[in-house]
Amino acid sequence: MPKPPTTVLITGAGPTGLTLAVDLARRDIDVRIIDKSPRFPRSSRAKGPNPRSLEVLADLGVVEQVLAAGSAPLPMRKYRGGEVIAETDPYATARPTPDTPYDRPWLIAQWHLEEILRARLAEYGVRVGLGAELVGLTQDDDSVTASLAGGREIEARYLVGCDGGHSAVRKLLGVPFEGKTNEEQVMVCGDVEAEGPDRGVWHQWFDADGGVMLCPIPGTRSGWWFQAAPETDAAGRPVPPSLESFQRLFARHTGRPGGHLSRATLLSTYRVNERLADRYRVGRVFLAGDAAHVHSVAGGLGMNTGIQDAFNLGWKLARVAVGRAAPELLDTYEEERLPIAARTLDITAERLRVTLEAIKEPGGGLDSAITPQTYGLGDGYRWSSLAPAGGTARLRAGDRAPDAPCRDTATGAPRRLFETFAGPHFTLLGFGAGTASALREATAAHGDELRAHTVTRSDGGGAHGDLSDDDGRARSAYGIGPGEDDVLVLIRPDNHVGLIAPAADHRAVAEYLKGAALERA
């Protein structure tokens, strides 16, 4: 039977779907991405990527555009009774470190982030198909057929539902989405135009009976994210969001004229929803992002968890699709990402609880939702079947691979580890000159699928691509002590550690690539 012309069909063109599409396209996978919306949304929604997502965006080659289009998180100015009572900067003491180049999340309107990702995708000749609503799907052992409103059909080898919390893909699969909705924890949201407030801070007015928050949208002259506890009607029900309601809420909680607000768009009523799909894969169909998990906005982990879902799935789909890996590799997507989502639900629920308590007191604000857990840097997969035993004093297989500054030993040019990882390949680091033969053997066996670099203590006039760890930053980041040497570290394409082994175990890399179902025997 001939293969379908489309290898991977993605439904949903938000940050999750676009991240996956870019990752697949750069691996020369025939990918198609569609969205039911008739036009690209000009809305803000998520407030931006966290440090781990910035690392993903750097690997995809778009982080500089994201940083230029957005802004660093702003100080939070808190009010009570209309008066300023506190101003805090949750990131005042944060600094980049050699192993962590991004020390804070970044504010950027979601529509602008999506524009950047779409432009990157277009460089590979792929564009989003709009007005394509999924209404049915069938699959067999070889392919998936997506039925669209209007009678069109698309056949693909795999389908990935990145189509949000109300996912048509998840519903058509019949995958349970267990959890709860708290009808009492309600917020009205929208993008507004406002004149007057200082655009250098995130304003937070909290009173005993509610509050209003205004955060300037980067890249706009007068656009703001508006969030508030809603008005209620005579029966105690939340009043639907509208410009007029926003103006009344603004006047009540700030003591300023409601007329300062205008042009309210993307109006929505948000209820705290905590739900998790009970599986991420049904045959040739996968779920990612909000289609697989939804939770409290506290900590800003929704979009970020989806971006990181996509980065985990992309390399696995690509390797299986081109026959470089056994189909069992695809099972590790759910194995690795579902526990992360479950943990994220716990983190966001706790951050919401802490924040709701904090804002009852003067000076409390949204900074209570921020902890290192919301950065995404500690998320790893030590439990995974792709994480064999073994490690160093600092790292184990499954962990996020740290960055570090080095130099190219041949040219003397600065070169960070993240630069060597960037792209759709495995990376093999050999700490110590004694790893050279193991690196040569691995490179000869696996060709362009694997890039190998010796990491030495000093210059030594090595070959191009060998790295000099002059200050010992790489050895420190990877937990390799002064008396230790000749250690191999295999980095997966999603920049997590796949294997840590002594160089004397020269077959370790080949055995990992076969035994972990990454390569067909």
Side-chain angles (χ1 to χ4, degrees):
M1 179 180 294
K3 292 181 179 179
T6 297
T7 303
V8 180
L9 173 64
I10 300 169
T11 64
T16 301
L18 289 168
T19 297
L20 180 59
V22 171
D23 197 24
L24 291 170
R26 69 173 178 165
R27 300 173 191 276
D28 295 323
I29 300 300
D30 181 24
V31 61
R32 186 168 178 181
I33 179 169
I34 60 174
D35 196 283
K36 69 177 183 179
S37 176
R39 62 186 64 84
F40 296 122
R42 188 77 172 183
S43 57
S44 302
R45 292 178 286 177
K47 290 185 174 63
N50 65 11
R52 178 55 181 161
S53 290
L54 288 170
E55 294 179 357
V56 172
L57 296 169
D59 195 281
L60 297 180
V62 298
V63 76
E64 294 304 325
Q65 297 98 303
V66 171
L67 296 176
S71 75
L74 300 173
M76 298 182 181
R77 184 173 295 170
K78 289 86 168 282
Y79 302 78
R80 205 74 164 191
E83 300 295 327
V84 177
I85 59 170
E87 188 165 311
T88 59
D89 182 352
Y91 306 100
T93 61
R95 297 290 184 274
T97 62
D99 61 340
T100 305
Y102 306 106
D103 63 336
R104 63 195 66 202
W106 206 249
L107 292 178
I108 181 173
Q110 184 172 321
W111 62 263
H112 207 157
L113 175 61
E114 291 172 357
E115 278 187 347
I116 291 169
L117 287 168
R118 286 199 302 270
R120 182 62 167 161
L121 186 59
E123 293 176 16
Y124 298 104
V126 181
R127 288 176 169 76
V128 176
L130 294 173
E133 181 180 2
L134 182 74
V135 295
L137 66 84
T138 59
Q139 61 175 312
D140 56 29
D141 291 342
D142 300 305
S143 65
V144 182
T145 300
S147 301
L148 308 182
R152 288 188 296 154
E153 290 187 341
I154 302 174
E155 188 179 8
R157 292 176 61 195
Y158 300 97
L159 185 149
V160 185
C162 304
D163 50 345
H166 298 288
S167 170
V169 174
R170 188 188 65 244
K171 293 173 182 177
L172 288 167
L173 291 173
V175 172
F177 203 38
E178 301 296 341
K180 62 182 180 180
T181 300
N182 191 327
E183 297 291 346
E184 297 179 357
Q185 293 176 342
V186 184
M187 182 168 59
V188 287
C189 311
D191 291 1
V192 300
E193 295 288 320
E195 297 291 346
D198 179 357
R199 290 186 65 82
V201 296
W202 186 344
H203 302 271
Q204 300 172 16
W205 291 271
F206 291 112
D207 296 309
D209 63 342
V212 164
M213 294 159 279
L214 272 183
C215 182
I217 302 173
T220 67
R221 185 185 66 82
S222 55
W224 297 77
W225 287 298
F226 179 98
Q227 298 167 279
E231 298 180 295
T232 54
D233 61 19
R237 296 183 295 257
V239 172
S242 66
L243 173 60
E244 294 73 22
S245 178
F246 285 2
Q247 289 173 331
R248 290 191 296 269
L249 287 165
F250 184 78
R252 181 201 306 172
H253 294 292
T254 71
R256 305 181 184 191
H260 281 319
L261 303 187
S262 61
R263 290 193 59 202
T265 59
L266 189 69
L267 305 178
S268 63
T269 299
Y270 170 81
R271 290 172 173 80
V272 175
N273 218 347
E274 298 174 352
R275 297 184 184 275
L276 180 63
D278 77 346
R279 56 192 185 276
Y280 281 16
R281 179 188 184 188
V282 178
R284 292 179 168 270
V285 184
F286 301 82
L287 300 173
D290 286 357
H293 44 75
V294 294
H295 44 77
S296 161
V297 297
L301 290 173
M303 177 187 74
N304 288 289
T305 307
I307 286 173
Q308 292 153 39
D309 285 346
F311 203 50
N312 182 285
L313 179 59
W315 69 275
K316 298 174 180 179
L317 262 178
R319 289 185 67 80
V320 172
V322 299
R324 292 197 178 100
E328 290 78 13
L329 176 61
L330 297 174
D331 292 332
T332 68
Y333 167 61
E334 177 182 306
E335 178 189 359
E336 293 184 340
R337 291 305 298 173
L338 195 151
I340 293 292
R343 177 172 174 267
T344 299
L345 263 67
D346 292 339
I347 291 171
T348 55
E350 174 62 13
R351 288 299 93 202
L352 178 63
R353 185 193 66 77
V354 170
T355 301
L356 291 175
E357 287 298 315
I359 63 177
K360 293 177 182 178
E361 302 297 328
L366 300 189
D367 48 315
S368 300
I370 300 167
T371 74
Q373 291 177 308
T374 63
Y375 286 24
L377 297 169
D379 290 340
Y381 313 118
R382 290 187 175 187
W383 60 83
S384 170
S385 58
L386 299 183
T392 68
R394 184 169 178 179
L395 281 185
R396 282 179 52 190
D399 291 349
R400 163 193 169 270
D403 194 11
C406 297
R407 286 189 301 110
D408 187 301
T409 57
T411 67
R415 188 162 176 81
R416 303 191 68 89
L417 290 184
F418 274 7
E419 293 178 64
T420 71
F421 301 163
H425 56 264
F426 288 86
T427 304
L428 183 61
L429 301 179
F431 287 88
T435 63
S437 61
L439 267 59
R440 285 194 299 270
E441 180 180 321
T443 301
H446 302 288
D448 204 42
E449 289 297 304
L450 183 143
R451 310 286 173 82
H453 305 271
T454 301
V455 184
T456 59
R457 296 172 186 268
S458 60
D459 193 315
H464 182 79
D466 288 350
L467 302 173
S468 175
D469 183 23
D470 295 344
D471 299 324
R473 300 285 181 80
R475 299 178 69 84
S476 174
Y478 282 75
I480 299 171
E484 300 175 81
D485 223 334
D486 299 345
V487 176
L488 296 171
V489 182
L490 181 66
I491 310 300
R492 300 172 4 171
D494 60 353
N495 300 349
H496 282 262
V497 176
L499 172 75
I500 300 174
D505 186 4
H506 66 284
R507 297 187 181 277
V509 174
E511 290 174 355
Y512 177 87
L513 292 174
K514 291 184 183 296
L518 297 183
E519 183 175 287
R520 289 188 183 276

